[in-house]
Amino acid sequence: MSNVKLWTRVYRGCAVVVLRGELDTRSAEDTAAAVAALIAGGQQLIIDLETLDFIDCHAVGALLGVREAARRAGGDVLLAAPHGPVLRLLTVLGVPGVHASLAAAADSAGGRDARRRAVDTIRSGRAALSGARFWMTAWWAAVLG
C-alpha cells in the first residue's frame, strides 16, 4: 500500500506533479517511475512538495534520478514548496534546485517554449483526460507529433 498520492496539474503554464503523504523507501521507485513517465523531451516539470509530510533519503535519491534523466533529455525537474521534515532533509543533503514556493519554481522554469508546450497540450482538447493519463497522452503526442 502506498503512502503517497500523486496527481498532475498546470500552474502558470508549467506542468506540476503534486505529491501528498509520505514518500519513503517502499513507494520511492514507483513514484519516481510515475514522475519519469510524465517528462517529455525538453520539458520543465515542477514537483510540488507542499503537501508531502515526509521523505527519506532513498526517495530523495529516486527523485534526483528523475531530475538527472530529465536533464539528459534537455528538460529539468524543479522541487517546490517543501516544509517541515521534507525541507530539513533537502537542506541537510544540500539538494539544489529547491524553491520556496510553486510561484518561484514556475518563475525559474521560465522558458516561454516550455510554458507554450504545456498550454498548447491543454488547448488541444486532451485536457479532458486526467492525471497521469493526460500527461502520457501529451507526451506521446509530442513524441509522435
Side-chain angles (χ1 to χ4, degrees), residues 53 82-89:
D53 299 320
H83 65 91
V86 176
L87 176 59
R88 192 167 23 258
L89 182 59

Side-chain angles (χ1 to χ4, degrees), residues 27-40:
S27 54
E29 297 305 322
D30 290 341
T31 302
V35 172
L38 303 175
I39 299 173

Side-chain angles (χ1 to χ4, degrees), residues 5-118:
K5 303 285 187 244
L6 176 146
W7 68 92
T8 59
R9 67 185 183 118
V10 174
Y11 176 79
R12 290 176 31 192
C14 297
V16 178
V17 173
V18 180
L19 298 179
R20 180 180 188 163
E22 297 181 354
L23 184 55
D24 57 18
T25 301
R26 292 181 313 194
S27 54
E29 297 305 322
D30 290 341
T31 302
V35 172
L38 303 175
I39 299 173
Q43 182 177 349
Q44 303 279 335
L45 180 70
I46 299 171
I47 300 178
D48 183 352
L49 303 172
E50 185 172 9
T51 55
L52 191 66
D53 299 320
F54 175 82
I55 192 168
D56 67 11
C57 291
H58 183 85
V60 171
L63 292 180
L64 293 179
V66 172
R67 174 190 280 174
E68 187 58 34
R71 287 180 175 172
R72 282 193 305 268
D76 201 1
V77 173
L78 305 173
L79 305 176
H83 65 91
V86 176
L87 176 59
R88 192 167 23 258
L89 182 59
L90 294 175
T91 302
V92 167
L93 294 175
V95 175
V98 178
H99 300 274
S101 68
L102 189 55
D107 288 343
S108 179
R112 202 180 307 202
D113 290 342
R115 288 184 178 162
R116 188 187 54 205
R117 279 193 302 271

